[in-house]
Amino acid sequence: MKGETKSLILVCVAAIVSTSHCYYISTRIKAGVFRLISVLPVCALFHVFPVFFSTLHISCTVSIFLSWLGTFKLILFSFDQGSLFPLPPNIFRFICFTCLPIKVQQNPNPETQFPKWVFPIKVAIFGVVVHMYDYKQYMSPLVLLAIYPLHIYLELEIVLMLFKLLVFITLGCDLEPQFNEPYLATSLQDFWGRRWNLMVPALLKPAIYIPVRRLCDGRMSTDHARFLAVMATFIFSGVAHEVFFYTLTFEMPTGEVTCFFVLHGVCTAAEIAVKRTEFVRRWRVSPTVSRLFTVGFVVMTSGWLLFPTAARSGMLERAASEALWSIGFFKRTFLYL
């Protein structure tokens, strides 16, 4: 653990220094290709950081925060786009908004905010889920199919919520939520675009979707341009997830993860096209039925294509054991004083 702490300190210092470099060059280099060239070495450095850790949670967190989200933010920043534009008022905020998955909330909607007591319930459910791995050999594949996505969702939301709370206390500003109750999604478009890991679509839209859409507009019909833009976004996300799994497991990609996102890209694009037809506009489906079909489709396809990669490498069991160790450490340190 001492080695992990030392590596974490070194990575944090390196991230702060390299991000500070990006902040100061913005006043000297105009937005465009030359600024992009100046930040690319920092992006490359961000992709090296996860290798320094053996603990799954730390490696995964660094990979998500810096290697992927941080890199995308800096690339968009090179062209005066994304969450780093306009430039934050001081270097401390610039570092926080670059290195952490946070974004200032512009127009909060009270109707979409759930009561605060929902979060402790999710924490309690997560504690039950990680303990269930001790009895994995007695569970049917259908039970595991429900546990895996529930585990990933709850752990991501809890970790991101803790970082959001820490930054809120430090900066004193309202931040956008990272999840918007994805189990209430009424369509794939709703799930991926407005409910699941909201920082990712906020970055992929200006980085992938809009450029591909603009490139295709004028060369083909609007529907075809939209389809290609949606597919390009999902394909890129699939390849990025393959690389992400590889950096955590060092096992050669099988293509299953990419196939998962390609399948969802095709289904989402088809869903968008069907919604625009006159027949579907007149035919309304109950939200409860829509949620059952949407969440059921996501769970079934993730169990088929997404989670086998994580299960074969033992990632989920490692994550559960590390979470149990963290819970035990918290109890020993704070509850028994």
Side-chain angles (χ1 to χ4, degrees):
M1 198 63 190
K2 290 182 179 179
E4 293 287 279
T5 303
K6 183 179 178 181
S7 297
L8 184 60
I9 293 173
L10 290 175
V11 165
C12 288
V13 171
I16 291 172
V17 172
S18 56
T19 307
S20 301
H21 157 76
C22 297
Y23 177 79
Y24 286 114
I25 66 170
S26 64
T27 59
R28 295 167 173 79
I29 304 177
K30 292 182 179 180
V33 176
F34 289 107
R35 188 190 290 182
L36 174 64
I37 294 173
S38 67
V39 304
L40 283 179
V42 177
C43 297
L45 183 63
F46 280 3
H47 278 81
V48 176
F49 286 157
V51 182
F52 289 95
F53 304 99
S54 59
T55 305
L56 181 63
H57 280 84
I58 300 178
S59 178
C60 183
T61 301
V62 172
S63 182
I64 294 173
F65 287 14
L66 297 179
S67 301
W68 295 111
L69 298 182
T71 295
F72 264 101
K73 290 178 183 179
L74 290 177
I75 292 174
L76 290 172
F77 165 72
S78 301
F79 299 96
D80 280 348
Q81 296 184 41
S83 59
L84 297 178
F85 180 79
L87 191 69
N90 56 64
I91 187 172
F92 179 67
R93 288 203 171 201
F94 183 84
I95 292 171
C96 289
F97 288 124
T98 302
C99 298
L100 298 174
I102 56 174
K103 183 181 178 182
V104 176
Q105 192 167 31
Q106 302 294 340
N107 300 305
N109 185 3
E111 295 181 359
T112 61
Q113 296 180 359
F114 274 65
K116 291 182 173 58
W117 52 263
V118 174
F119 182 71
I121 293 177
K122 292 179 181 179
V123 174
I125 295 174
F126 174 71
V128 173
V129 168
V130 295
H131 277 90
M132 291 177 70
Y133 281 94
D134 293 334
Y135 309 95
K136 180 183 175 181
Q137 63 271 25
Y138 306 112
M139 297 181 191
S140 68
L142 287 177
V143 175
L144 291 174
L145 186 64
I147 288 178
Y148 288 159
L150 186 61
H151 174 191
I152 296 300
Y153 161 60
L154 291 174
E155 184 155 3
L156 280 173
E157 177 152 25
I158 290 169
V159 170
L160 293 175
M161 181 62 73
L162 293 177
F163 274 99
K164 177 184 174 182
L165 179 62
L166 177 63
V167 174
F168 174 76
I169 295 172
T170 306
L171 299 180
C173 57
D174 290 329
L175 303 173
E176 290 190 357
Q178 293 303 311
F179 289 90
N180 183 22
E181 314 304 330
Y183 49 86
L184 297 179
T186 56
S187 66
L188 290 177
Q189 186 181 10
D190 184 34
F191 180 86
W192 291 113
R194 293 182 287 270
R195 292 188 179 275
W196 179 263
N197 204 0
L198 299 178
M199 180 62 69
V200 174
L203 293 173
L204 289 181
K205 185 175 181 179
I208 306 295
Y209 179 85
I210 293 178
V212 173
R213 181 76 183 270
R214 288 176 177 172
L215 183 65
C216 295
D217 279 339
R219 295 177 173 85
M220 57 187 68
S221 66
T222 302
D223 290 338
H224 289 163
R226 184 186 299 109
F227 175 79
L228 288 178
V230 171
M231 288 305 304
T233 305
F234 274 92
I235 290 172
F236 180 87
S237 183
V239 173
H241 278 79
E242 291 275 11
V243 176
F244 171 71
F245 278 115
Y246 177 74
T247 59
L248 297 179
T249 65
F250 292 103
E251 296 184 2
M252 287 302 297
T254 61
E256 291 170 302
V257 177
T258 302
C259 288
F260 169 81
F261 283 95
V262 170
L263 174 63
H264 276 254
V266 171
C267 293
T268 302
E271 179 187 272
I272 294 172
V274 170
K275 282 181 178 178
R276 297 171 65 85
T277 62
E278 189 66 27
F279 173 74
V280 174
R281 288 178 182 176
R282 295 178 180 178
W283 184 45
R284 296 296 179 183
V285 181
S286 167
T288 303
V289 175
S290 299
R291 285 166 184 154
L292 288 174
F293 274 103
T294 301
V295 176
F297 181 78
V298 172
V299 171
M300 293 297 293
T301 53
S302 62
W304 172 35
L305 295 170
L306 189 62
F307 291 114
T309 301
R312 284 194 300 266
S313 62
M315 275 181 57
L316 297 172
E317 286 76 7
R318 283 178 59 196
S321 62
E322 289 180 8
L324 288 173
W325 183 89
S326 301
I327 294 171
F329 177 79
F330 178 83
K331 288 180 179 179
R332 292 190 302 270
T333 305
F334 299 101
L335 300 184
Y336 299 149
L337 292 177

